[in-house]
Amino acid sequence: MEIYEITGFQTGVSKDGVNYLQPSDSFQNIEDGFIFRQVLQSRRGIKQFSTGKLGATSTAPTIVDGTRVMGIFEHVIDYQVTELLAITTKALYKYNTGTDTFDQIPMAGSAPAGGFAIAANDFYVSGTTYPFPDGSSRFVFTGAGMADTYLYDGTNVKLFTNVVDNIAYQAPASGALTNAHYVFWFGERLVLLNPTINAGSNPQGFLYSAIRTSGGNGDKFNTSGAGLLSADTSEYINGAIILGDVLSVKFTRSDWILEKTRDNFNPFFIQKIPSVIGTDAGFSMVTWENESISIGKTGIISANGRNQYRIDKKIPAFIQDQFDSANINLTYGGFDRTNNQLLFAYKSIDSTDTTQDKVLINNYAENTWAVYDLRFSCFGQTDKGIDLTWDDIDETNDPSWGSWETTEEIWNRIGIEETIQKTLAGDDNGFIWLLNQDADDYVNAFVSVILGATTTINIGDHSFEVGDEVIVQGAVGADDAFDEINNFDPALPYASYTPWIVQSITASEIVIDFDSSQAGAYVSDGTVSKTIDFSAEMVPFNPFRAQGRKCYISHIEFLLDTNAGFLNVDLFDSEEVSSGPDNEGAFKENVLIQPTQVRKKREWISMSVNHEAEFFTLKMNQASPALQVLLTSIRIHAKPGGLTSG
């Protein structure tokens, strides 16, 4: 009997091959999980970053909000201090570290009192710190869905393009500037890409100001040193990002690099890098190791200023097969420094939603891919956050902090967020989320309950959607019949857990399929959260295929952390058998792998097989909001079997 130990995992997420190749290339699909430091893990949960959705507790509530988040930004103040800004379809918000809320920035001057009125989900906002002529701080932002280009002066939102609001401004010679798709502080100038001038779009255009001076030349577009440069191509600008000391501009079939020159009147040297594929998702760009990475309809592209190449060879055709190509411009890119992950929120091809419903993850340090079941509109980062005293750590900030027994977080980190680098995400409902937290997904506390054939739970502002699988914990009722609403206990095995399904929603309520018509009244407590459905599927396994032999497996061992709860394993005995939603045709189905040791950090757990097949496909699952799988290694005990059929 030979032992094949699978450790140091690498993976793709689709069409990774037809046979086991080597231990480090063994998985083809990972959902709601990731590989970090050579350990296969189910995803930790997300946590709401601040109290309430954007606009719900604003100090200047002139605009009723809770709309889609279109951008999250770090605004740099005097090169040391930063502000965390977020923009919805209606307004600009600043994070208040004292109250743990996002405060709405008032519209003033010539800015529209009714807000931005961004109409389309893919009209994201681009913004940059760009100082006033006297060096004081401001934030300039615009976008394809905005009627103009705006500035935030530290107090109010005003029009950048109005001399009453911005006394130094000077319009281009060819006509009035309104908006642009992208804006950057680059080469001591303000650079706007694809600007709208005199009501006309410039899809290959780079509008740049004069060099920034105390006299205001950095706000002038009709003076010495300013101008409009157009790329000599029929392609359209589909994104841009600063890459070190150059500006990488994405076109439909090429990448253009803008390098700074010493010539005030010809500020940029342009180099075109052709490619067989181009960028189609205008805000999918992220940077890593001096490369810019973006997404086109036929693949994921990396550009380093000299050439372009595909980085998705482990997931061939994934973009074509899994992304909704008609809505690929919804894709938004980000990164998680803590876990070495590139993040791409996208709309899947099977989704009936009008926005993103998945996140594609690439661990660039370990060459792994996975898919998350999360509904994010955009990403950002910050080192802001609350920094609580011990007396402030209670259920006011987080429902699970109300009792020692209920929290799943690490006690010595609770309440300490200031200065810690964090990855943020926005959603369609105006919430900002903190990624990779020891918390449940979309968790909300009960406010009140209406009994009936289905049960209506008032939970206040929330991000649940119809069809979500949810669990309830800690709700107290007047009798045992009501207490049956609590459908999850992490100490019990998988078979005891059946999720409730969200039937309908309002802004503050969800309806679940729990029949409480015969139950006593709701009394107190209770949280509801969305499940995390982790799964990992191996490439079809037969290391003896080259010998013309089938594979016989006696048993399989799993090295699982003892605090990881459980795994459910399905084993399929040929590559033709589908591992569908009900695991039809599985040779071994729903085998419970659960640690029993309490004094060891990890435990080897064995699953008997005693079966021969041309191929074996192993799929591992866990549905849980509270328990994180940590799988270090798999050992497959196998030997050559009979002759293959072909």
Side-chain angles (χ1 to χ4, degrees), residues 4-67:
Y4 291 84
E5 184 163 2
I6 300 170
T7 185
F9 308 107
Q10 292 183 353
T11 184
V13 294
S14 178
K15 295 184 178 178
D16 195 41
V18 297
N19 195 9
Y20 170 88
L21 300 176
Q22 56 183 345
S24 64
D25 195 23
S26 50
F27 284 92
Q28 60 178 333
N29 293 292
I30 297 179
E31 297 182 8
D32 279 329
F34 62 102
I35 294 168
F36 181 61
R37 294 180 179 174
Q38 300 186 348
V39 176
L40 175 63
Q41 308 178 38
S42 59
R43 179 178 57 80
R44 287 179 292 177
I46 59 173
K47 185 173 74 171
Q48 193 174 310
F49 174 69
S50 64
T51 304
K53 61 187 177 183
L54 273 63
T57 55
S58 173
T59 58
T62 57
I63 296 174
V64 177
D65 213 318
T67 62

Side-chain angles (χ1 to χ4, degrees), residues 544-566:
F544 314 111
R545 180 71 174 177
Q547 304 172 24
R549 294 285 184 176
K550 296 181 181 179
C551 177
Y552 172 84
I553 296 178
S554 64
H555 62 288
I556 303 173
E557 295 177 289
F558 303 86
L559 184 57
L560 198 65
D561 272 36
T562 54
N563 63 353
F566 57 84

